[in-house]
Amino acid sequence: VDDFEIETVGLDLLNVSFVAMRKKKPASRPSALARRLRAMERVKEAIAVAQSEKWSIAQLAKLANLSPFHLCHVFRQLADTSIYDYVLQERLAQALDAVLGGDDELTAIALDAGFASHSHFTARFRGFFGCTPAGLRRTATAARLAELRKIVTARAH
């Protein structure tokens, strides 16, 4: 488990607690929604440019001009996923291309994609794609590759 995951899970749990205590959902003004969408897009753009960056919620919140708690809440609300899961998907998409596109060692690919270790990378890769990176390299077919790319695209949107 990495620090970024711990941060996002903690803030998501806090948000779930607050939502459960709230009697009804407050209405959002259109201008507030537009600001939140812009903030989320700034965060997505930063992540897309540097997937392997060792992000923290504080760094991303500063880019979004929101508090860390509010960023996690807004991101989950608008993207229907946590920031951690979004970053993980971006990293795995980058790693998929590296796994399939060359003979680089998997440890180097894992570290270049921003994972803490080869085992962390392998566990996340298996959870997302249903196979290990080494297993994919051994059994890769054109149809299987197309299927995996569809998984990445579908989950990102």
Side-chain angles (χ1 to χ4, degrees), residues 7 45 59 92 96 107 114 126 136 138 142 145 150-151 154:
E7 278 185 300
E45 183 178 322
Q59 288 172 307
L92 287 169
L96 178 63
T107 300
R126 181 186 298 126
L136 177 62
R138 283 191 304 273
L145 300 180
K150 284 181 187 176
I151 290 170

Side-chain angles (χ1 to χ4, degrees), residues 81 84-94 128-129 152 154-157:
T81 191
Y84 175 77
D85 287 341
Y86 184 82
V87 170
L88 180 63
Q89 290 170 16
E90 290 291 312
R91 288 178 178 169
L92 287 169
Q94 172 189 356
F128 195 81
F129 295 114
V152 170
R155 288 191 179 175
H157 299 288

